[in-house]
């Protein structure tokens, strides 16, 4: 049968914040189904009923999506969030150990947007809380009143790296929708792509 790829979900609050919804954008699910020819399996963010090692052993791959909430800073010894920051602690609690379990079990992982930040944090790296507030950095956040997934800036691919080999080029243009970004790269990770301001994008 087709490979089974786990897609951890984000938790959102609806109906005046009384109903918790677990979900993922169809865009991501179609990327797994159509782009990778795999079956996407939504993994709910219910930490009390979850064993990362058991789940990793059932999966053929793990796809980490973007999401509105940022990874809580206590996971990488960052300064506390302001009170109005959007959080998703249950996704944090599911995804970070699942990344480590998948690596231990040899399960391939792909992360986009929040997903690459999750990989970095799970392995001991840190994040910039607000990239646009770091001197010399671009504003990587979504631009209001503009098309959400429009191309925003180029990224340079590392010579001889995997992305360069896959794309057959040294530079591609991407959208940009993130407020956080990689600060200290976790040990064992290699840089595949950088934005013009030097921010790691792959």
């Amino acid at each position: 049968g087709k490979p089974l790829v786990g897609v951890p979900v984000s938790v959102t609050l609806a109906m005046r914040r009384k109903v918790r919804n677990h979900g993922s954008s169809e865009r991501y699910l179609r990327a797994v189904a159509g782009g990778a020819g795999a079956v996407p399996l939504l993994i709910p963010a219910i930490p009390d009923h979850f064993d990362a090692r058991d789940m990793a052993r059932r999966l053929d791959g793990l796809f980490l999506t973007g999401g509105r909430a940022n990874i809580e800073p206590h996971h990488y010894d960052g300064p506390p969030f302001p009170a109005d920051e959007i959080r998703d602690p249950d996704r944090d609690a599911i995804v970070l150990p699942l990344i480590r379990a998948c690596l231990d079990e040899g399960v391939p992982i792909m992360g986009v947007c929040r997903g690459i930040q999750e990989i970095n944090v799970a392995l001991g790296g840190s994040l910039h809380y607000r990239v646009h507030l770091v001197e010399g950095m671009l504003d990587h956040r979504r631009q209001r009143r503009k098309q959400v997934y429009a191309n925003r800036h180029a990224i340079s691919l590392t010579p001889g790296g995997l992305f360069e080999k896959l794309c057959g080029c040294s530079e591609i243009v991407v959208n940009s929708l993130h407020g956080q970004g990689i600060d200290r790269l976790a040990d064992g990770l290699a840089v595949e792509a950088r934005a013009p301001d030097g921010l790691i994008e792959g």
Side-chain angles (χ1 to χ4, degrees):
K2 294 181 179 180
L4 187 66
V5 173
V7 182
V9 303
S10 295
V11 178
T12 57
L13 301 177
M15 296 181 67
R16 298 185 182 173
R17 305 179 66 84
K18 293 181 180 178
V19 177
R20 289 166 50 88
N21 292 324
H22 295 241
S24 176
S25 167
E26 185 173 318
R27 175 184 303 269
Y28 294 128
L29 304 180
R30 288 196 177 277
V32 171
V39 176
L41 172 70
L42 294 179
I43 301 174
I46 307 176
D48 294 344
H49 300 277
F50 184 80
D51 182 276
R53 181 77 55 185
D54 179 61
M55 178 60 70
R57 289 172 177 160
R58 296 167 185 246
L59 298 175
D60 298 302
L62 179 67
F63 182 55
L64 304 171
T65 70
R68 286 191 67 207
N70 287 320
I71 302 163
E72 293 203 65
H74 65 83
H75 293 293
Y76 53 90
D77 295 327
F81 278 161
D84 61 350
E85 180 69 32
I86 298 173
R87 295 167 166 82
D88 193 346
D90 287 340
R91 173 165 168 163
D92 292 348
I94 291 287
V95 170
L96 299 178
L98 183 56
I99 290 168
R100 294 186 285 265
C102 282
L103 286 172
D104 288 345
E105 296 295 326
V107 177
I109 303 170
M110 180 175 181
V112 297
C113 197
R114 176 187 161 114
I116 72 165
Q117 297 165 17
E118 289 170 329
I119 293 168
N120 190 56
V121 170
L123 300 182
S126 67
L127 303 177
H128 293 296
Y129 167 58
R130 287 286 182 260
V131 173
H132 67 282
L133 298 179
V134 178
E135 185 176 355
M137 292 292 191
L138 299 172
D139 189 343
H140 291 261
R141 297 173 299 172
R142 173 183 173 181
Q143 298 299 295
R144 293 183 178 177
R145 297 184 297 277
K146 291 187 178 181
Q147 184 179 345
V148 175
Y149 293 104
N151 289 337
R152 285 280 308 285
H153 62 72
I155 56 173
S156 300
L157 307 183
T158 300
L162 176 63
F163 285 9
E164 186 191 56
K165 292 175 184 175
L166 289 173
C167 297
C169 60
S170 61
E171 184 178 279
I172 57 176
V173 180
V174 298
N175 63 36
S176 190
L177 302 168
H178 56 100
Q180 284 188 314
I182 292 174
D183 179 10
R184 185 185 69 256
L185 188 67
D187 292 342
L189 296 181
V191 176
E192 287 283 348
R194 288 186 184 270
D197 57 5
L199 186 70
I200 297 169
E201 294 276 19

